[in-house]
Amino acid sequence: MNRYSRHIILSEIGQIGQDKLSNTKVLVVGAGGLGCPILQYLAAAGIGTLGIVDFDVVDITNLQRQILFGTASIGQNKALAAKQRLKDLNDSISVIEYQERLTHKNALDLFDQYDIIVDGTDNFETRYLINDACVITNKPLVFGAIYKFEGQVSVFNYQNGPTYRCLFPEAPEKNTVPNCSEIGVLGVLPGIIGSMQANEVLKIILGIGNTLSGKLLCYNALHSQTTVLNISKNNHEIEKVLKNKNSFTTQTTETFCEIPAIVVSIEDVLDKNNIQLIDVRETHETPKIEGISVTSIPLSELNAHINQLDPNKDKYIFCQSGIRSKQAASILQNLNIKHCYSIKEGAPDIIEYLIQQNQE
Ligand SMILES: Nc1ncnc2c1ncn2[C@@H]1O[C@H](COP(=O)(O)OP(=O)(O)OP(=O)(O)O)[C@@H](O)[C@H]1O
């Protein structure tokens, strides 16, 4: 087939290798920064069946790095928008979209239908969920993660190799790690890391080269530096996952709050009486808001410091950019604490607003 002639000409691939690619089913969880390049290269390479799981819709802030989408995709489900783009890229493959969140309930059934699982998600809960579901269904996992200017790639649970839990046995405390929307990410970084993940998938299928099983590749985009660390297998961690396999589908993924936060603007807050302003940034974060009363409770300590909330006041929460405050308001609402609102502006904008008000 002309489409794959540049693959077939490679002695390491040939027609036999290309047939292997078209007979393989790969599931990509998350069609965001990492998912887009992973999917794009796997579709172009002729992976026979590509599954895409994502519940989220395309936002304008995604377009800086989520290269399968365009302005017309805004508001569309990402799995669906990705499928539409990939069908144009390669109409000889089958692309199945799952417009849903991967949870403990659906993960095992989904994974059973695929040969290789690729993690393109952005949160620890899903990473551990994917790892454990791969261990239980015995599927190789191609892992990737990005943070600001740095990324990591590995292959877990492959040919009796280590798993993600062998490297990091437990997830960090809930809500203590910021995501891309909080700290930012260089747009090209997920392109690099996602392409490396696609490369690992191809090597696994083709049986060529060396995979990153038992290794963690760390890439720093600022310094163009790559470090490869060795990972040892920890049988105890793997056994723990397998021991709980019968109760796996009954586990809930706690962080997915059911009650979303109510978001308000600072303009609607400051003329109100009887309010408590709460700063959920870490104590070292600046700029500080001065001249008005603010209670500081870092998000990471929220559960332990609920007693600092004034039950007689409406609680208005802010952070640096409106993301953590939303999480905090949602957490409090889910704890049945009433009248909690997230201020959409972050501290720098709030300060600017206060200065303007004083000048008027
Ligand atoms: N449990 C899950 N099931 C399905 N998709 C998931 C799950 N967890 C995360 N994702 C998806 O993984 C993708 C991660 O992409 P990315 O890291 O670029 O973040 P984003 O949410 O698109 O962007 P931002 O954090 O800047 O708002 C997102 O599209 C997100 O919806």
Side-chain angles (χ1 to χ4, degrees), residues 90-120:
N90 189 347
D91 62 356
S92 67
I93 61 166
S94 157
V95 182
I96 305 168
E97 100 277 9
Y98 304 93
Q99 300 185 35
E100 57 195 273
R101 193 188 286 277
L102 188 84
T103 64
H104 283 87
K105 287 210 169 46
N106 59 15
L108 299 186
D109 283 346
L110 260 176
F111 286 18
D112 269 335
Q113 299 166 48
Y114 289 86
D115 303 305
I116 300 173
I117 312 300
V118 190
D119 184 355

PDB file of all heavy atoms in Angstrom, residues 90-120:
ATOM      1  N   ASN A  90      -6.386   9.252   8.208  1.00  0.00           N
ATOM      2  CA  ASN A  90      -6.244   7.878   7.712  1.00  0.00           C
ATOM      3  C   ASN A  90      -7.596   7.166   7.758  1.00  0.00           C
ATOM      4  O   ASN A  90      -8.028   6.726   8.827  1.00  0.00           O
ATOM      5  CB  ASN A  90      -5.216   7.124   8.567  1.00  0.00           C
ATOM      6  CG  ASN A  90      -4.863   5.781   7.961  1.00  0.00           C
ATOM      7  OD1 ASN A  90      -5.550   5.304   7.045  1.00  0.00           O
ATOM      8  ND2 ASN A  90      -3.803   5.173   8.461  1.00  0.00           N
ATOM      9  N   ASP A  91      -8.231   7.063   6.604  1.00  0.00           N
ATOM     10  CA  ASP A  91      -9.574   6.463   6.593  1.00  0.00           C
ATOM     11  C   ASP A  91      -9.540   4.943   6.501  1.00  0.00           C
ATOM     12  O   ASP A  91     -10.576   4.293   6.431  1.00  0.00           O
ATOM     13  CB  ASP A  91     -10.432   7.061   5.459  1.00  0.00           C
ATOM     14  CG  ASP A  91      -9.817   6.776   4.082  1.00  0.00           C
ATOM     15  OD1 ASP A  91      -8.709   6.199   4.030  1.00  0.00           O
ATOM     16  OD2 ASP A  91     -10.443   7.142   3.068  1.00  0.00           O
ATOM     17  N   SER A  92      -8.326   4.362   6.525  1.00  0.00           N
ATOM     18  CA  SER A  92      -8.278   2.901   6.424  1.00  0.00           C
ATOM     19  C   SER A  92      -8.212   2.243   7.807  1.00  0.00           C
ATOM     20  O   SER A  92      -8.111   1.025   7.908  1.00  0.00           O
ATOM     21  CB  SER A  92      -7.069   2.485   5.576  1.00  0.00           C
ATOM     22  OG  SER A  92      -5.880   2.812   6.257  1.00  0.00           O
ATOM     23  N   ILE A  93      -8.237   3.043   8.860  1.00  0.00           N
ATOM     24  CA  ILE A  93      -8.201   2.454  10.209  1.00  0.00           C
ATOM     25  C   ILE A  93      -9.562   2.653  10.877  1.00  0.00           C
ATOM     26  O   ILE A  93     -10.375   3.457  10.429  1.00  0.00           O
ATOM     27  CB  ILE A  93      -7.091   3.093  11.087  1.00  0.00           C
ATOM     28  CG1 ILE A  93      -7.346   4.604  11.256  1.00  0.00           C
ATOM     29  CG2 ILE A  93      -5.727   2.844  10.499  1.00  0.00           C
ATOM     30  CD1 ILE A  93      -6.522   5.237  12.343  1.00  0.00           C
ATOM     31  N   SER A  94      -9.744   1.923  11.982  1.00  0.00           N
ATOM     32  CA  SER A  94     -11.005   2.089  12.705  1.00  0.00           C
ATOM     33  C   SER A  94     -10.732   2.914  13.973  1.00  0.00           C
ATOM     34  O   SER A  94      -9.785   2.627  14.713  1.00  0.00           O
ATOM     35  CB  SER A  94     -11.508   0.680  13.018  1.00  0.00           C
ATOM     36  OG  SER A  94     -12.370   0.701  14.082  1.00  0.00           O
ATOM     37  N   VAL A  95     -11.511   3.949  14.161  1.00  0.00           N
ATOM     38  CA  VAL A  95     -11.329   4.799  15.353  1.00  0.00           C
ATOM     39  C   VAL A  95     -12.633   4.761  16.153  1.00  0.00           C
ATOM     40  O   VAL A  95     -13.701   5.030  15.622  1.00  0.00           O
ATOM     41  CB  VAL A  95     -11.005   6.262  14.958  1.00  0.00           C
ATOM     42  CG1 VAL A  95     -10.777   7.104  16.212  1.00  0.00           C
ATOM     43  CG2 VAL A  95      -9.782   6.331  14.056  1.00  0.00           C
ATOM     44  N   ILE A  96     -12.504   4.384  17.427  1.00  0.00           N
ATOM     45  CA  ILE A  96     -13.705   4.285  18.272  1.00  0.00           C
ATOM     46  C   ILE A  96     -13.589   5.314  19.383  1.00  0.00           C
ATOM     47  O   ILE A  96     -12.584   5.335  20.100  1.00  0.00           O
ATOM     48  CB  ILE A  96     -13.822   2.871  18.890  1.00  0.00           C
ATOM     49  CG1 ILE A  96     -13.800   1.823  17.769  1.00  0.00           C
ATOM     50  CG2 ILE A  96     -15.080   2.746  19.736  1.00  0.00           C
ATOM     51  CD1 ILE A  96     -13.619   0.406  18.254  1.00  0.00           C
ATOM     52  N   GLU A  97     -14.586   6.156  19.515  1.00  0.00           N
ATOM     53  CA  GLU A  97     -14.495   7.171  20.564  1.00  0.00           C
ATOM     54  C   GLU A  97     -15.387   6.812  21.745  1.00  0.00           C
ATOM     55  O   GLU A  97     -16.485   6.291  21.578  1.00  0.00           O
ATOM     56  CB  GLU A  97     -14.790   8.569  19.996  1.00  0.00           C
ATOM     57  CG  GLU A  97     -16.156   9.128  20.227  1.00  0.00           C
ATOM     58  CD  GLU A  97     -17.178   8.648  19.220  1.00  0.00           C
ATOM     59  OE1 GLU A  97     -16.870   7.741  18.416  1.00  0.00           O
ATOM     60  OE2 GLU A  97     -18.318   9.155  19.252  1.00  0.00           O
ATOM     61  N   TYR A  98     -14.888   7.059  22.943  1.00  0.00           N
ATOM     62  CA  TYR A  98     -15.659   6.850  24.166  1.00  0.00           C
ATOM     63  C   TYR A  98     -15.766   8.211  24.838  1.00  0.00           C
ATOM     64  O   TYR A  98     -14.783   8.695  25.408  1.00  0.00           O
ATOM     65  CB  TYR A  98     -14.947   5.857  25.098  1.00  0.00           C
ATOM     66  CG  TYR A  98     -14.655   4.525  24.441  1.00  0.00           C
ATOM     67  CD1 TYR A  98     -13.429   4.293  23.808  1.00  0.00           C
ATOM     68  CD2 TYR A  98     -15.604   3.512  24.436  1.00  0.00           C
ATOM     69  CE1 TYR A  98     -13.160   3.077  23.187  1.00  0.00           C
ATOM     70  CE2 TYR A  98     -15.340   2.287  23.819  1.00  0.00           C
ATOM     71  CZ  TYR A  98     -14.116   2.077  23.200  1.00  0.00           C
ATOM     72  OH  TYR A  98     -13.846   0.872  22.590  1.00  0.00           O
ATOM     73  N   GLN A  99     -16.929   8.802  24.739  1.00  0.00           N
ATOM     74  CA  GLN A  99     -17.103  10.156  25.289  1.00  0.00           C
ATOM     75  C   GLN A  99     -17.457  10.032  26.758  1.00  0.00           C
ATOM     76  O   GLN A  99     -18.569  10.323  27.171  1.00  0.00           O
ATOM     77  CB  GLN A  99     -18.213  10.890  24.534  1.00  0.00           C
ATOM     78  CG  GLN A  99     -17.934  11.028  23.054  1.00  0.00           C
ATOM     79  CD  GLN A  99     -19.003  11.855  22.368  1.00  0.00           C
ATOM     80  OE1 GLN A  99     -19.549  12.792  22.928  1.00  0.00           O
ATOM     81  NE2 GLN A  99     -19.299  11.519  21.126  1.00  0.00           N
ATOM     82  N   GLU A 100     -16.525   9.533  27.523  1.00  0.00           N
ATOM     83  CA  GLU A 100     -16.798   9.306  28.938  1.00  0.00           C
ATOM     84  C   GLU A 100     -15.505   9.380  29.728  1.00  0.00           C
ATOM     85  O   GLU A 100     -14.406   9.382  29.167  1.00  0.00           O
ATOM     86  CB  GLU A 100     -17.446   7.935  29.145  1.00  0.00           C
ATOM     87  CG  GLU A 100     -16.621   6.792  28.606  1.00  0.00           C
ATOM     88  CD  GLU A 100     -17.408   5.488  28.469  1.00  0.00           C
ATOM     89  OE1 GLU A 100     -17.470   4.751  29.457  1.00  0.00           O
ATOM     90  OE2 GLU A 100     -17.925   5.225  27.359  1.00  0.00           O
ATOM     91  N   ARG A 101     -15.652   9.435  31.042  1.00  0.00           N
ATOM     92  CA  ARG A 101     -14.502   9.442  31.929  1.00  0.00           C
ATOM     93  C   ARG A 101     -14.082   8.005  32.208  1.00  0.00           C
ATOM     94  O   ARG A 101     -14.946   7.136  32.387  1.00  0.00           O
ATOM     95  CB  ARG A 101     -14.919  10.109  33.251  1.00  0.00           C
ATOM     96  CG  ARG A 101     -13.779  10.472  34.148  1.00  0.00           C
ATOM     97  CD  ARG A 101     -14.329  10.920  35.471  1.00  0.00           C
ATOM     98  NE  ARG A 101     -14.926  12.239  35.468  1.00  0.00           N
ATOM     99  CZ  ARG A 101     -14.256  13.378  35.589  1.00  0.00           C
ATOM    100  NH1 ARG A 101     -12.955  13.358  35.693  1.00  0.00           N
ATOM    101  NH2 ARG A 101     -14.888  14.524  35.620  1.00  0.00           N
ATOM    102  N   LEU A 102     -12.804   7.720  32.200  1.00  0.00           N
ATOM    103  CA  LEU A 102     -12.346   6.397  32.604  1.00  0.00           C
ATOM    104  C   LEU A 102     -12.488   6.304  34.120  1.00  0.00           C
ATOM    105  O   LEU A 102     -11.981   7.164  34.842  1.00  0.00           O
ATOM    106  CB  LEU A 102     -10.884   6.186  32.205  1.00  0.00           C
ATOM    107  CG  LEU A 102     -10.420   4.753  32.426  1.00  0.00           C
ATOM    108  CD1 LEU A 102     -10.797   3.878  31.236  1.00  0.00           C
ATOM    109  CD2 LEU A 102      -8.925   4.684  32.655  1.00  0.00           C
ATOM    110  N   THR A 103     -13.183   5.277  34.571  1.00  0.00           N
ATOM    111  CA  THR A 103     -13.378   5.090  36.014  1.00  0.00           C
ATOM    112  C   THR A 103     -13.079   3.629  36.364  1.00  0.00           C
ATOM    113  O   THR A 103     -12.862   2.798  35.464  1.00  0.00           O
ATOM    114  CB  THR A 103     -14.843   5.382  36.416  1.00  0.00           C
ATOM    115  OG1 THR A 103     -15.664   4.398  35.757  1.00  0.00           O
ATOM    116  CG2 THR A 103     -15.295   6.774  36.021  1.00  0.00           C
ATOM    117  N   HIS A 104     -13.144   3.333  37.661  1.00  0.00           N
ATOM    118  CA  HIS A 104     -12.958   1.933  38.067  1.00  0.00           C
ATOM    119  C   HIS A 104     -14.063   1.051  37.480  1.00  0.00           C
ATOM    120  O   HIS A 104     -13.853  -0.138  37.262  1.00  0.00           O
ATOM    121  CB  HIS A 104     -12.973   1.824  39.593  1.00  0.00           C
ATOM    122  CG  HIS A 104     -11.687   2.277  40.207  1.00  0.00           C
ATOM    123  ND1 HIS A 104     -11.445   3.588  40.522  1.00  0.00           N
ATOM    124  CD2 HIS A 104     -10.566   1.593  40.534  1.00  0.00           C
ATOM    125  CE1 HIS A 104     -10.236   3.691  41.025  1.00  0.00           C
ATOM    126  NE2 HIS A 104      -9.668   2.504  41.043  1.00  0.00           N
ATOM    127  N   LYS A 105     -15.211   1.636  37.213  1.00  0.00           N
ATOM    128  CA  LYS A 105     -16.342   0.830  36.705  1.00  0.00           C
ATOM    129  C   LYS A 105     -16.123   0.383  35.256  1.00  0.00           C
ATOM    130  O   LYS A 105     -16.416  -0.748  34.914  1.00  0.00           O
ATOM    131  CB  LYS A 105     -17.636   1.643  36.775  1.00  0.00           C
ATOM    132  CG  LYS A 105     -18.135   1.792  38.177  1.00  0.00           C
ATOM    133  CD  LYS A 105     -19.639   1.916  38.259  1.00  0.00           C
ATOM    134  CE  LYS A 105     -20.056   1.786  39.706  1.00  0.00           C
ATOM    135  NZ  LYS A 105     -19.232   2.600  40.642  1.00  0.00           N
ATOM    136  N   ASN A 106     -15.623   1.287  34.407  1.00  0.00           N
ATOM    137  CA  ASN A 106     -15.553   0.913  32.980  1.00  0.00           C
ATOM    138  C   ASN A 106     -14.153   0.474  32.527  1.00  0.00           C
ATOM    139  O   ASN A 106     -13.994  -0.043  31.428  1.00  0.00           O
ATOM    140  CB  ASN A 106     -16.063   2.069  32.101  1.00  0.00           C
ATOM    141  CG  ASN A 106     -15.258   3.357  32.299  1.00  0.00           C
ATOM    142  OD1 ASN A 106     -14.170   3.329  32.862  1.00  0.00           O
ATOM    143  ND2 ASN A 106     -15.782   4.483  31.837  1.00  0.00           N
ATOM    144  N   ALA A 107     -13.118   0.673  33.360  1.00  0.00           N
ATOM    145  CA  ALA A 107     -11.737   0.471  32.886  1.00  0.00           C
ATOM    146  C   ALA A 107     -11.449  -0.976  32.456  1.00  0.00           C
ATOM    147  O   ALA A 107     -10.891  -1.199  31.370  1.00  0.00           O
ATOM    148  CB  ALA A 107     -10.750   0.901  33.967  1.00  0.00           C
ATOM    149  N   LEU A 108     -11.835  -1.948  33.276  1.00  0.00           N
ATOM    150  CA  LEU A 108     -11.442  -3.333  32.949  1.00  0.00           C
ATOM    151  C   LEU A 108     -12.102  -3.803  31.659  1.00  0.00           C
ATOM    152  O   LEU A 108     -11.440  -4.411  30.796  1.00  0.00           O
ATOM    153  CB  LEU A 108     -11.797  -4.276  34.105  1.00  0.00           C
ATOM    154  CG  LEU A 108     -11.115  -3.971  35.451  1.00  0.00           C
ATOM    155  CD1 LEU A 108     -11.442  -5.057  36.468  1.00  0.00           C
ATOM    156  CD2 LEU A 108      -9.609  -3.825  35.305  1.00  0.00           C
ATOM    157  N   ASP A 109     -13.387  -3.500  31.499  1.00  0.00           N
ATOM    158  CA  ASP A 109     -14.094  -3.920  30.270  1.00  0.00           C
ATOM    159  C   ASP A 109     -13.466  -3.282  29.039  1.00  0.00           C
ATOM    160  O   ASP A 109     -13.299  -3.932  28.008  1.00  0.00           O
ATOM    161  CB  ASP A 109     -15.574  -3.506  30.334  1.00  0.00           C
ATOM    162  CG  ASP A 109     -16.350  -4.439  31.237  1.00  0.00           C
ATOM    163  OD1 ASP A 109     -15.801  -5.510  31.568  1.00  0.00           O
ATOM    164  OD2 ASP A 109     -17.476  -4.087  31.635  1.00  0.00           O
ATOM    165  N   LEU A 110     -13.127  -1.997  29.172  1.00  0.00           N
ATOM    166  CA  LEU A 110     -12.515  -1.296  28.037  1.00  0.00           C
ATOM    167  C   LEU A 110     -11.143  -1.881  27.710  1.00  0.00           C
ATOM    168  O   LEU A 110     -10.834  -2.178  26.554  1.00  0.00           O
ATOM    169  CB  LEU A 110     -12.327   0.178  28.392  1.00  0.00           C
ATOM    170  CG  LEU A 110     -13.349   1.162  27.876  1.00  0.00           C
ATOM    171  CD1 LEU A 110     -13.049   2.554  28.402  1.00  0.00           C
ATOM    172  CD2 LEU A 110     -13.320   1.177  26.357  1.00  0.00           C
ATOM    173  N   PHE A 111     -10.305  -2.019  28.728  1.00  0.00           N
ATOM    174  CA  PHE A 111      -8.929  -2.479  28.506  1.00  0.00           C
ATOM    175  C   PHE A 111      -8.905  -3.883  27.902  1.00  0.00           C
ATOM    176  O   PHE A 111      -8.026  -4.201  27.103  1.00  0.00           O
ATOM    177  CB  PHE A 111      -8.128  -2.463  29.818  1.00  0.00           C
ATOM    178  CG  PHE A 111      -7.731  -1.073  30.269  1.00  0.00           C
ATOM    179  CD1 PHE A 111      -8.370   0.050  29.771  1.00  0.00           C
ATOM    180  CD2 PHE A 111      -6.723  -0.888  31.211  1.00  0.00           C
ATOM    181  CE1 PHE A 111      -8.020   1.338  30.189  1.00  0.00           C
ATOM    182  CE2 PHE A 111      -6.355   0.393  31.635  1.00  0.00           C
ATOM    183  CZ  PHE A 111      -7.009   1.504  31.122  1.00  0.00           C
ATOM    184  N   ASP A 112      -9.881  -4.714  28.309  1.00  0.00           N
ATOM    185  CA  ASP A 112      -9.937  -6.086  27.781  1.00  0.00           C
ATOM    186  C   ASP A 112     -10.034  -6.115  26.260  1.00  0.00           C
ATOM    187  O   ASP A 112      -9.622  -7.077  25.622  1.00  0.00           O
ATOM    188  CB  ASP A 112     -11.159  -6.813  28.367  1.00  0.00           C
ATOM    189  CG  ASP A 112     -10.790  -7.535  29.657  1.00  0.00           C
ATOM    190  OD1 ASP A 112      -9.594  -7.872  29.821  1.00  0.00           O
ATOM    191  OD2 ASP A 112     -11.676  -7.739  30.507  1.00  0.00           O
ATOM    192  N   GLN A 113     -10.592  -5.034  25.689  1.00  0.00           N
ATOM    193  CA  GLN A 113     -10.811  -5.022  24.227  1.00  0.00           C
ATOM    194  C   GLN A 113      -9.581  -4.540  23.442  1.00  0.00           C
ATOM    195  O   GLN A 113      -9.622  -4.467  22.226  1.00  0.00           O
ATOM    196  CB  GLN A 113     -11.980  -4.101  23.891  1.00  0.00           C
ATOM    197  CG  GLN A 113     -13.291  -4.536  24.532  1.00  0.00           C
ATOM    198  CD  GLN A 113     -14.335  -3.435  24.451  1.00  0.00           C
ATOM    199  OE1 GLN A 113     -14.538  -2.866  23.391  1.00  0.00           O
ATOM    200  NE2 GLN A 113     -14.962  -3.125  25.567  1.00  0.00           N
ATOM    201  N   TYR A 114      -8.494  -4.167  24.152  1.00  0.00           N
ATOM    202  CA  TYR A 114      -7.323  -3.589  23.463  1.00  0.00           C
ATOM    203  C   TYR A 114      -6.046  -4.354  23.808  1.00  0.00           C
ATOM    204  O   TYR A 114      -5.992  -5.073  24.807  1.00  0.00           O
ATOM    205  CB  TYR A 114      -7.197  -2.099  23.835  1.00  0.00           C
ATOM    206  CG  TYR A 114      -8.312  -1.288  23.174  1.00  0.00           C
ATOM    207  CD1 TYR A 114      -9.559  -1.168  23.784  1.00  0.00           C
ATOM    208  CD2 TYR A 114      -8.137  -0.723  21.922  1.00  0.00           C
ATOM    209  CE1 TYR A 114     -10.605  -0.483  23.161  1.00  0.00           C
ATOM    210  CE2 TYR A 114      -9.167  -0.035  21.293  1.00  0.00           C
ATOM    211  CZ  TYR A 114     -10.391   0.084  21.918  1.00  0.00           C
ATOM    212  OH  TYR A 114     -11.417   0.746  21.286  1.00  0.00           O
ATOM    213  N   ASP A 115      -5.025  -4.165  22.964  1.00  0.00           N
ATOM    214  CA  ASP A 115      -3.743  -4.861  23.177  1.00  0.00           C
ATOM    215  C   ASP A 115      -2.774  -4.017  23.990  1.00  0.00           C
ATOM    216  O   ASP A 115      -1.959  -4.537  24.746  1.00  0.00           O
ATOM    217  CB  ASP A 115      -3.080  -5.158  21.815  1.00  0.00           C
ATOM    218  CG  ASP A 115      -3.991  -5.968  20.915  1.00  0.00           C
ATOM    219  OD1 ASP A 115      -4.434  -7.043  21.366  1.00  0.00           O
ATOM    220  OD2 ASP A 115      -4.277  -5.507  19.791  1.00  0.00           O
ATOM    221  N   ILE A 116      -2.809  -2.693  23.787  1.00  0.00           N
ATOM    222  CA  ILE A 116      -1.860  -1.794  24.460  1.00  0.00           C
ATOM    223  C   ILE A 116      -2.650  -0.582  24.954  1.00  0.00           C
ATOM    224  O   ILE A 116      -3.542  -0.081  24.247  1.00  0.00           O
ATOM    225  CB  ILE A 116      -0.760  -1.306  23.481  1.00  0.00           C
ATOM    226  CG1 ILE A 116       0.020  -2.509  22.924  1.00  0.00           C
ATOM    227  CG2 ILE A 116       0.195  -0.320  24.157  1.00  0.00           C
ATOM    228  CD1 ILE A 116       1.010  -2.145  21.825  1.00  0.00           C
ATOM    229  N   ILE A 117      -2.310  -0.108  26.154  1.00  0.00           N
ATOM    230  CA  ILE A 117      -2.994   1.060  26.716  1.00  0.00           C
ATOM    231  C   ILE A 117      -1.975   2.207  26.787  1.00  0.00           C
ATOM    232  O   ILE A 117      -0.825   2.001  27.201  1.00  0.00           O
ATOM    233  CB  ILE A 117      -3.526   0.769  28.146  1.00  0.00           C
ATOM    234  CG1 ILE A 117      -4.281  -0.573  28.194  1.00  0.00           C
ATOM    235  CG2 ILE A 117      -4.372   1.932  28.659  1.00  0.00           C
ATOM    236  CD1 ILE A 117      -5.487  -0.695  27.293  1.00  0.00           C
ATOM    237  N   VAL A 118      -2.395   3.402  26.393  1.00  0.00           N
ATOM    238  CA  VAL A 118      -1.505   4.563  26.446  1.00  0.00           C
ATOM    239  C   VAL A 118      -2.136   5.613  27.347  1.00  0.00           C
ATOM    240  O   VAL A 118      -3.319   5.953  27.194  1.00  0.00           O
ATOM    241  CB  VAL A 118      -1.280   5.170  25.035  1.00  0.00           C
ATOM    242  CG1 VAL A 118      -0.168   6.208  25.095  1.00  0.00           C
ATOM    243  CG2 VAL A 118      -0.934   4.094  24.035  1.00  0.00           C
ATOM    244  N   ASP A 119      -1.343   6.111  28.292  1.00  0.00           N
ATOM    245  CA  ASP A 119      -1.844   7.119  29.235  1.00  0.00           C
ATOM    246  C   ASP A 119      -1.507   8.524  28.717  1.00  0.00           C
ATOM    247  O   ASP A 119      -0.339   8.906  28.648  1.00  0.00           O
ATOM    248  CB  ASP A 119      -1.197   6.885  30.615  1.00  0.00           C
ATOM    249  CG  ASP A 119      -1.756   7.828  31.666  1.00  0.00           C
ATOM    250  OD1 ASP A 119      -2.566   8.716  31.311  1.00  0.00           O
ATOM    251  OD2 ASP A 119      -1.390   7.677  32.851  1.00  0.00           O
ATOM    252  N   GLY A 120      -2.554   9.280  28.385  1.00  0.00           N
ATOM    253  CA  GLY A 120      -2.361  10.672  27.957  1.00  0.00           C
ATOM    254  C   GLY A 120      -3.105  11.605  28.899  1.00  0.00           C
ATOM    255  O   GLY A 120      -3.493  12.697  28.493  1.00  0.00           O
TER     256      GLY A 120
END
